[in-house]
Amino acid sequence: MTSMTAVPMPDESEVPPGPRRTLLEELLSLHRQAGNPSRRGIAKQILTIDERTDEVSRGTVSTLLTKGEFPSWARLEAVVLALAGMATGRPRPREVALWFHSLWELTTESAPHHDVRNGRVARRRPDGLLPPDAATGTLPAAPEAHWAAPEMTNVRLEFAADPSVRLVDVEATAEKITVIVNSAHPLAAAFTPRTDRRPSDVSPAELREEIRRMRRAFDLLMIAWGMTTGDAPSEDARRLLDQAQHTWSQNALTVDA
């Protein structure tokens, strides 16, 4: 599947705050969770869903993603189903579509006006669908701190914002190992605190939500590893992944010590 860079969120002069902007933020977040597939890739994926799904041109896909214009639910639904089918974390596409339909309804003139930003919508967020966080199209700032485990002075952890789908990259030399985390990846963003406020200024409800969000991201990370092993193309490849997982777990104990 061909990928593209993250689609930038239009500024508020083009798409003012309100239900339509909220819907577009969610759509761009889903697009990023799906690995930023190209317009052509999305259009081709739509054709594989089922015969009831409307065919959508690349131009229409582009209009939905870049302008936040949603003329009909059928076309938006097709794009949502295609993206959900490609998304990490394997959210259930039909549940994701129901969630998006509740947001789309609020953009129509006949729908009652609710505060979508505060989460008062018809359905709860489906399992596996990551929240937009700061997914406005601009890459989130990478954390300033670089970390090395006390007993592993040759290991360094760095952060860099990269629009690609890769979560982590490793650069290894004879002298050191550098682990580079993509701070623009949805899972990495989910582990990053949303606020710079002091803990004493954050409400208990906000702290609970922060913990729930990070735990969910951890669960998805572990599921992704399991999926990688389970989808190995051969028994030999699976054994290599199992061995790598064992070494990785042992190294985690060393770092924790």
Side-chain angles (χ1 to χ4, degrees):
M1 182 68 67
T2 304
S3 296
M4 56 186 287
T5 57
V7 179
M9 183 71 187
D11 61 37
E12 293 188 353
S13 64
E14 299 176 80
V15 183
R20 179 173 157 234
R21 187 173 185 86
T22 298
L23 177 56
L24 181 56
E25 287 174 347
E26 291 279 352
L27 185 62
L28 293 185
S29 178
L30 178 59
H31 180 254
R32 204 163 86 181
Q33 188 175 343
N36 298 318
S38 67
R39 278 82 158 172
R40 180 192 295 273
I42 296 170
K44 289 178 66 177
Q45 179 74 8
I46 289 171
L47 296 177
T48 69
I49 298 173
D50 61 42
E51 66 280 359
R52 296 172 299 173
T53 305
D54 280 13
E55 183 175 346
V56 179
S57 68
R58 282 180 289 166
T60 299
V61 173
S62 181
T63 298
L64 291 173
L65 292 174
T66 62
K67 298 181 179 180
E69 296 178 359
F70 310 108
S72 73
W73 165 244
R75 292 177 180 177
L76 175 59
E77 180 187 32
V79 172
V80 167
L81 290 172
L83 291 175
M86 295 184 281
T88 58
R90 292 189 177 178
R92 295 182 178 180
R94 293 296 172 183
E95 291 184 4
V96 174
L98 286 174
W99 164 262
F100 270 87
H101 186 263
S102 70
L103 298 177
W104 175 79
E105 281 188 319
L106 299 180
T107 68
T108 63
E109 294 182 0
S110 58
H113 294 287
H114 298 291
D115 187 359
V116 181
R117 291 181 181 273
N118 289 333
R120 291 194 289 271
V121 295
R123 299 183 61 87
R124 70 174 182 86
R125 178 179 296 279
D127 292 339
L129 179 65
L130 296 177
D133 295 321
T136 58
T138 56
L139 298 179
E144 295 181 0
H146 292 177
W147 168 92
E151 302 301 321
M152 302 175 70
T153 56
N154 66 324
V155 179
R156 183 176 177 85
L157 183 68
E158 297 184 358
F159 296 86
D162 183 345
S164 71
V165 72
R166 183 186 292 270
L167 173 61
V168 64
D169 199 5
V170 178
E171 296 178 355
T173 66
E175 292 77 25
K176 69 175 182 178
I177 299 172
T178 303
V179 182
I180 305 169
V181 178
N182 179 11
S183 61
H185 191 283
L187 279 181
F191 278 112
T192 303
R194 298 180 184 179
T195 177
D196 294 327
R197 290 181 295 166
R198 297 174 299 176
S200 58
D201 295 332
V202 180
S203 72
E206 288 176 306
L207 287 174
R208 285 194 297 270
E209 173 60 22
E210 193 80 4
I211 292 170
R212 186 205 65 79
R213 182 173 64 92
M214 290 184 177
R215 174 55 195 269
R216 179 62 184 165
F218 176 82
D219 290 348
L220 289 174
L221 197 60
M222 295 302 100
I223 290 170
W225 180 275
M227 289 165 55
T228 301
T229 304
D231 293 340
S234 67
E235 192 60 35
D236 287 342
R238 186 172 293 107
R239 278 196 294 268
L240 287 173
L241 286 170
D242 284 340
Q243 183 180 357
Q245 191 269 348
H246 177 74
T247 303
W248 176 62
S249 300
Q250 289 296 113
N251 287 336
L253 293 175
T254 303
V255 172
D256 187 57

